[in-house]
Amino acid sequence: MSVIYLIRHGQANSTGEDYDLLTDKGKEQAFALGKYMASNGDFPDKIISGTMRRHKETAEFFMKGIHTVRSDLNTDVDFHSFDANWNEFPSELWKKYAEYLSGTRPEFQRSLLQFSKVRLKGGVRSAALFFKLTEEILSVWRKGDFTPPGIETFKNFQSRVDLACDTYFQPSNSERTFIFTSGTPISLTLKRILKQDEDVFTWMPWIWNSSVSMFRWVRGRYIPVSLNFLPHIPDKSARTLY
């Protein structure tokens, strides 16, 4: 019986210039997930990941965790494949929309200034401001009235995530498929599979780093078994959202 594990990447470098790499904590989260899964006999038959560095690193450290339990796991040439349709929108989107909205919405500009002062400190205040700003940015992006040059439209983004779902959420010869991606593709996927009437970004701010959403093929479709689950991080204080 086919099972799909949809996994968000570990904590990424949100306080640095390059977001697209894991922090030490993000690597630990991915490693702990792999070790937990292997300890429970849930060995991957196939891995799919986006092509972003944080996706690849999460899969890499996940496998290092797997190998602490089973070093002889067969990983042939087809074991790990990559699909850019699972990629997150680029960080340039956030920056360019922030510049645009700062020039048109004074309240957004004030929030962005506050965020710039607390970003490097992290914590609850920084997270709250980040998600407030991101919510407004994504709302404008989705509406589609303005798209900065060189930035992917939301329509195209949604189309490629839908294509990824159509491709992999099908019956498979692989019993256990692990997909490593990002928060926004997971949010769109959950809305689609759960057939929710909520906004497409409802889940996005609340997808934990290295969280697992599990789907099992039952009677001709994949049904959700667990969502946004962190069995490998029981300590709530060790969990991260960004």
Side-chain angles (χ1 to χ4, degrees), residues 93-201:
L93 183 151
W94 202 99
K95 295 175 183 176
K96 289 188 177 183
Y97 273 100
E99 292 174 359
Y100 167 72
L101 292 173
S102 291
T104 58
R105 302 184 183 183
E107 179 59 33
F108 182 94
Q109 186 179 42
R110 286 191 289 270
S111 295
L112 184 62
L113 180 61
Q114 292 173 348
F115 177 63
S116 67
K117 293 178 179 179
V118 300
R119 182 176 71 91
L120 296 180
K121 297 179 181 178
V124 175
R125 176 63 174 162
S126 175
L129 283 169
F130 174 76
F131 288 128
K132 177 183 179 182
L133 293 167
T134 300
E135 182 179 42
E136 192 163 354
I137 285 170
L138 294 182
S139 177
V140 174
W141 179 46
R142 179 189 179 189
K143 191 175 180 181
D145 291 339
F146 169 77
T147 303
I151 294 299
E152 179 180 29
T153 65
F154 172 74
K155 183 178 180 180
N156 184 76
F157 177 80
Q158 185 169 37
S159 293
R160 66 175 171 82
V161 173
D162 284 345
L163 177 59
C165 290
D166 290 339
T167 301
Y168 300 105
F169 279 75
Q170 296 290 338
S172 169
N173 293 328
S174 300
E175 183 177 349
R176 300 182 185 91
T177 299
F178 287 73
I179 299 175
F180 295 87
T181 180
S182 292
T184 315
I186 292 174
S187 184
L188 269 63
T189 300
L190 291 179
K191 173 182 168 57
R192 176 175 175 171
I193 291 184
L194 296 174
K195 299 180 180 178
Q196 292 178 308
D197 293 329
E198 303 287 345
D199 184 270
V200 294
F201 298 123

Side-chain angles (χ1 to χ4, degrees), residues 233-239:
I233 311 179
D235 180 3
K236 291 185 178 180
S237 65
R239 300 173 180 178

